Amino acid sequence: MPRRLPPLNALRAFEAAARLESMSAAADELCVTHGAVSRQVGQLEDWLGHALFARVGRRIALTEAGRLYLSEVAAALDRIALATDEQLNLTRQQVIRVNAPTTFALRWLLPQLSGFQLAYPAVKVRLTTSDEPIDRLREEFDVAIRGNAQQPPAGYVVQEFLSEVRLPVCAPRVLEANPIHAVGDLARHTLLHTATYPGLWSEWLAASGNPQLASVNALQLDHFYMTLQAAIDGLGIAMGPTALVALDIEEGRLVFPLDGPALPAWRYSSHVPSARLEDPVIKAFVSWLHELGSKFSRSA
């Protein structure tokens, strides 16, 4: 059965006038004239067939029928307003500020971020990069990602979501030109080093039982993302963190020439200000990090 509803504009005029106890105040709130409110209320009274207000000069007072009607109408309009706000929140663009280390952002977060954007199209991610400790960051953030369990200052909630190990990686064409069957075969290759992680190859070779192995050539680069790019470009063999090269492995740009040994690498955690932890958007982003991280995590 179709609902019997009065004229909705008239209903709004009645509710405002009854709540404010003034036609003039209702007119101001609704941005119409006093006469328009009076006509709308009169139209509603005609539709119902009885008076809602008793008029004494310029003053108005609710009749008993008006008081009963107001209690129901006001509650219904409040529910409509609340439901409307919830719907608007679904489409209103929200911003989440994320800070992450540069190499992590380039090699892992950015390639995966489209998945979050597809799931939450109304959320805009504003990504900045930094390796600074949390308490030294100048810009405000909602989620900061850091590796190796940096001790955060008080007032932050830390949750680990991704762990990785290090293994040698290289472009497939490097193996085609000079196959690697055992650790000793690395001596015929160029080993790629990173200035900020100078001992990685020495540590790995010691773990493999070949601490004295010397390669035919070595190339050192300033930043780790440059080292990984050099490996993709076929310039040599790098020590690759498994999570940060996962997409390159999957798409065939890099391969693991040896199965081990696997060195422990970084363990990444989200750092969220305690006051922001219950924000639905932030909770959704952190949950997405954990779900995705579980697919990439490896332990030594």
Side-chain angles (χ1 to χ4, degrees), residues 108-119:
W108 193 85
L109 186 56
L110 278 175
Q112 310 295 335
L113 198 55
S114 62
F116 180 80
Q117 301 277 225
L118 287 172

Side-chain angles (χ1 to χ4, degrees), residues 162-179:
L162 175 66
S163 62
E164 59 185 1
V165 297
R166 295 186 191 276
L167 288 168
V169 292
C170 63
R173 63 180 177 275
V174 170
L175 296 186
E176 293 170 4
N178 198 344

Side-chain angles (χ1 to χ4, degrees), residues 101-157:
T102 303
T103 300
F104 178 86
L106 287 172
R107 305 292 307 175
W108 193 85
L109 186 56
L110 278 175
Q112 310 295 335
L113 198 55
S114 62
F116 180 80
Q117 301 277 225
L118 287 172
Y120 298 92
V123 179
K124 179 179 180 181
V125 178
R126 184 173 296 160
L127 178 63
T128 58
T129 61
S130 173
D131 295 303
E132 288 287 331
I134 299 297
D135 56 353
R136 294 184 187 175
L137 285 176
R138 293 183 179 180
E139 67 271 15
E140 293 186 1
F141 64 88
D142 300 306
V143 180
I145 297 171
R146 290 295 183 271
N148 280 12
Q150 290 187 15
Q151 184 63 37
Y156 293 87
V157 176

Side-chain angles (χ1 to χ4, degrees), residues 68-294:
L68 292 173
Y69 199 42
L70 175 63
S71 64
E72 296 294 337
V73 168
L77 290 178
D78 285 343
R79 288 195 296 274
I80 292 172
L82 180 60
T84 302
D85 283 342
E86 290 175 350
Q87 290 297 310
L88 289 172
N89 285 335
L90 294 178
T91 56
R92 187 179 296 128
Q93 189 176 73
Q94 295 172 289
V95 176
I96 179 171
R97 299 162 299 179
V98 179
N99 183 276
T102 303
T103 300
F104 178 86
L106 287 172
R107 305 292 307 175
W108 193 85
L109 186 56
L110 278 175
Q112 310 295 335
L113 198 55
S114 62
F116 180 80
Q117 301 277 225
L118 287 172
Y120 298 92
V123 179
K124 179 179 180 181
V125 178
R126 184 173 296 160
L127 178 63
T128 58
T129 61
S130 173
D131 295 303
E132 288 287 331
I134 299 297
D135 56 353
R136 294 184 187 175
L137 285 176
R138 293 183 179 180
E139 67 271 15
E140 293 186 1
F141 64 88
D142 300 306
V143 180
I145 297 171
R146 290 295 183 271
N148 280 12
Q150 290 187 15
Q151 184 63 37
Y156 293 87
V157 176
V158 181
Q159 299 179 63
E160 183 180 311
F161 66 90
L162 175 66
S163 62
E164 59 185 1
V165 297
R166 295 186 191 276
L167 288 168
V169 292
C170 63
R173 63 180 177 275
V174 170
L175 296 186
E176 293 170 4
N178 198 344
I180 296 175
H181 302 291
V183 175
D185 296 331
L186 292 173
R188 304 193 305 270
H189 287 267
T190 297
L191 300 187
L192 302 174
H193 300 264
T194 306
T196 51
Y197 300 97
L200 284 182
W201 271 112
S202 296
E203 186 179 350
W204 187 87
L205 289 171
S208 73
N210 297 268
Q212 304 303 319
L213 185 143
S215 62
V216 68
N217 196 9
L219 175 62
Q220 178 170 297
L221 298 110
D222 288 341
H223 301 288
F224 196 62
Y225 59 83
M226 294 175 63
T227 303
L228 293 179
Q229 187 60 50
I232 292 171
D233 292 338
L235 296 178
I237 302 175
M239 287 301 302
T242 50
L244 302 194
V245 300
L247 190 60
D248 299 298
I249 295 291
E250 181 182 331
E251 297 183 355
R253 290 185 292 270
L254 290 173
V255 295
F256 296 121
L258 296 164
D259 294 332
L263 292 181
W266 291 83
R267 305 177 75 88
Y268 292 94
S269 300
S270 60
H271 297 64
V272 178
S274 301
R276 304 301 313 280
L277 195 61
E278 296 305 313
D279 185 300
V281 172
I282 295 174
K283 289 177 71 174
F285 186 81
V286 172
S287 295
W288 173 78
L289 284 177
H290 280 262
E291 182 180 353
L292 190 63
S294 65

Side-chain angles (χ1 to χ4, degrees), residues 5 40 153 240:
L5 296 176
Q40 292 284 357

